[in-house]
Amino acid sequence: MRFLPVFLDLKAGPVVLIGAGELLRAKLRVLAAAGARIRVHATDGNQDLGLSSGDAARIDIAAADPLTADLSGIIAVVCAGAGDVGVAMSVRAKALGLPVNVMDDLAHSSFIFPAIVDRGDVVVAVGTGGTSPVVARRVREKIEALLPARIGELAEFIGGFRKSINERIAEFPLRRRFWERVIDGPIGAAVLAGRKSEADAALKAISDPSAFARADRPEGSVALVGAGPGDPDLLTIKALRALQDADIVFHDELVSPEVLDRIRRDTTRVPVGRRVGKPGIGQDAINTRMIEAAQSGQRVVRLKGGDPFVFGRGGEEVEALRAAGVAYSIIPGITAGLGGAADFEVPLTYRNEATRITFLTAHKARDAEVVDWSTLTDARMTVVVYMGMTAAPAIRAGLLAAGRSPETPVGVFARVTRPDAQGAIGTLRDLPELVRRTNGGPAILIIGDVVRHAGSLRRQTPKQIISDLLDAAE
């Protein structure tokens, strides 16, 4: 390790920035974002640096020659696009014992700029010793994806209590255990979810911090997590963190293997879902098993295809968790209707053409029979039907009987966002046949004029493309 990572106190004094062009402006933005006071020497004479009014108050544009300017009180020197002036400035700064960075010139630099992840009080610096800034940026991107957005708020929250708690817990190991339990438990989860007042009240309610730290039984919780329609890259960052932190995951049958692969390897996995026509363990049993796992101190994830609150029975599970007094959080996912629309380029709304969307579910024909189809006949309404493959004939019959045109465009999109995704496009008259073309589900049906804009032919086989074109010609 040639360069030791350190953090510079920008309140200690100003930074001198020397250079020209976009390189100078890029470094200026970095320093300004960090809150530094900056003295800028523009070697090309261009003093238009595009400063915001807030930044301008902390930035002094100097006209003096940087090689002879007074450097008293300066804490660091940065050269970006400064050419030979940067090299000469490096010699001067080193003679004065000042840290100096000359961009892309390790020989004349005594410090380098890392790739930075900035989360307020939490700052992560990634360096490669100046050998490959691009590699450092890629590592930073990975870290950005893993860190909660409010991790800095969590650090600030803990900082507000640290002195008072430390005064009440003398032993350092016990003190560390206390903060681990706070961070990893419901209090930390509440801060990361933006419920700071709830976390504040919970921490203040701990009457005996030592007993809290010594508790053998950890506090369990449940996260209701939307797995999305199948593509693991569509998992939210928050969902991925929950899967990595979980002790046990109860997952639906339709959650894709690729998403399940994102679960930590030593996590217990329990399949609890069911497919149409096949028995499952039942919702009451799922609720009971989740609650029991959480009450035993485990971090539980209930992993559901799509979004927990869109035909996922997430509302029922929340009611059960509330009644049992179990801490829980909800992490939304991309629901299949939105995933399928994006995958096959169907705009669910379209100016002057489709201004309303209705989402409904129809597992079986009897589900379709109880739908009031008369409310779904507006040609400017897009209808998205979940789990409608089996009930396709009844859906068609209901809409036609209510007055929707048999020429209404319809798309059946199966296994959306997955590598084997498949779509079939036609009219309402042909809906059952379109379902047969997709070779199995799960699938969503999109009904409305917006289907005309679909780009799904790119996902179909040549045989299907020819079939659709012949149908259109008729």
Side-chain angles (χ1 to χ4, degrees):
M1 181 175 65
R2 175 179 170 184
F3 290 92
L4 176 69
V6 295
F7 289 91
L8 191 65
D9 182 5
L10 294 175
K11 292 184 179 180
V15 175
V16 167
L17 176 60
I18 304 162
E22 183 54 34
L23 296 178
L24 173 73
R25 286 188 284 274
K27 276 291 186 284
L28 179 61
R29 287 192 292 269
V30 171
L31 292 168
R37 289 179 289 148
I38 311 163
R39 181 196 300 171
V40 179
H41 294 266
T43 57
D44 59 357
N46 182 3
Q47 298 185 354
D48 182 12
L49 302 177
L51 303 175
S52 69
S53 57
D55 291 337
R58 293 182 286 106
I59 297 170
D60 174 29
I61 300 177
D65 182 351
L67 296 176
T68 59
D70 182 14
L71 298 182
S72 300
I74 297 298
I75 60 170
V77 175
V78 178
C79 303
D84 292 340
V85 175
V87 174
M89 195 65 196
S90 169
V91 174
R92 185 181 180 210
K94 289 179 177 179
L96 294 172
L98 290 175
V100 59
N101 171 266
V102 181
M103 188 174 178
D104 292 332
D105 187 348
L106 287 179
H108 292 96
S109 298
S110 61
F111 78 93
I112 57 176
F113 277 86
I116 297 171
V117 179
D118 184 1
R119 291 285 195 276
D121 283 353
V122 175
V123 177
V124 181
V126 180
T128 59
T131 58
S132 180
V134 174
V135 170
R137 287 200 295 272
R138 289 291 179 264
V139 174
R140 180 196 64 193
E141 290 165 7
K142 297 292 185 183
I143 296 172
E144 287 267 17
L146 292 172
L147 283 180
R150 294 190 174 94
I151 190 69
E153 294 179 28
L154 179 58
E156 181 183 11
F157 172 82
I158 290 171
F161 286 92
R162 187 179 177 193
K163 182 178 179 181
S164 62
I165 293 297
N166 288 357
E167 289 174 349
R168 297 167 67 187
I169 305 177
E171 305 92 336
F172 178 78
L174 198 61
R175 190 184 302 165
R176 180 177 58 194
R177 173 60 182 150
F178 175 89
W179 289 119
E180 287 174 348
R181 291 201 63 203
V182 167
I183 292 169
D184 296 336
I187 295 176
V191 177
L192 295 178
R195 305 193 304 272
K196 190 173 178 180
S197 58
E198 175 186 322
D200 187 87
L203 201 151
K204 288 178 178 176
I206 299 174
S207 58
D208 188 341
S210 295
F212 176 85
R214 289 192 182 96
D216 294 327
R217 184 176 173 183
E219 295 177 75
S221 62
V222 175
L224 273 63
V225 177
D231 182 350
D233 288 339
L234 293 179
L235 281 170
T236 65
I237 295 170
K238 197 170 185 179
L240 181 60
R241 284 198 302 268
L243 295 180
Q244 289 291 304
D245 288 342
D247 299 310
I248 184 169
V249 174
F250 297 95
H251 64 87
D252 284 346
E253 178 70 24
L254 293 179
V255 176
S256 72
E258 293 81 8
V259 169
L260 294 177
D261 284 345
R262 302 298 175 96
I263 299 171
R264 198 178 70 246
R265 291 188 183 277
D266 60 343
T267 297
T268 302
R269 305 181 189 187
V270 182
V272 295
R274 67 180 182 89
R275 289 184 182 269
V276 175
K278 295 184 179 181
I281 70 170
Q283 188 61 55
D284 289 342
I286 293 172
N287 293 346
T288 298
R289 295 183 71 174
M290 283 195 305
I291 291 167
E292 289 176 348
Q295 289 176 338
S296 71
Q298 296 187 78
R299 289 168 294 189
V300 180
V301 164
R302 174 69 173 101
L303 187 62
K304 310 170 80 66
D307 181 273
F309 282 0
V310 180
F311 307 123
R313 304 189 74 170
E316 297 171 50
E317 292 172 348
V318 165
E319 292 291 341
L321 295 169
R322 286 176 184 162
V326 171
Y328 65 89
S329 61
I330 301 159
I331 302 175
I334 295 176
T335 188
L338 301 182
D343 204 19
F344 289 89
E345 302 172 18
V346 179
L348 295 180
T349 62
Y350 202 92
R351 188 175 181 183
N352 300 322
E353 187 174 306
T355 58
R356 301 164 62 195
I357 309 170
T358 294
F359 295 90
L360 60 92
T361 181
H363 282 280
K364 302 174 183 177
R366 66 171 177 266
D367 296 327
E369 290 168 0
V370 301
V371 175
D372 183 1
W373 297 105
S374 66
T375 63
L376 306 173
T377 57
D378 183 355
R380 293 162 67 94
M381 176 189 292
T382 302
V383 180
V384 181
V385 185
Y386 288 68
M387 298 168 280
M389 297 184 76
T390 302
I395 293 169
R396 177 185 63 180
L399 284 170
L400 292 178
R404 193 109 190 201
S405 168
E407 303 304 319
T408 301
V410 172
V412 179
F413 305 112
R415 304 173 298 281
V416 298
T417 77
R418 303 184 189 186
D420 62 341
Q422 194 173 351
I425 292 174
T427 65
L428 182 58
R429 178 190 290 111
D430 307 319
L431 178 55
E433 173 59 26
L434 297 176
V435 168
R436 283 190 287 273
R437 289 187 204 172
T438 55
N439 300 316
I444 59 164
L445 319 179
I446 301 181
I447 303 168
D449 288 346
V450 292
V451 177
R452 300 183 201 276
H453 303 285
S456 64
L457 292 183
R458 65 185 172 82
R459 301 298 296 273
Q460 294 178 289
T461 65
K463 182 178 179 180
Q464 291 170 315
I465 293 173
I466 294 170
S467 176
D468 282 352
L469 291 175
L470 288 174
D471 288 345
E474 292 176 0

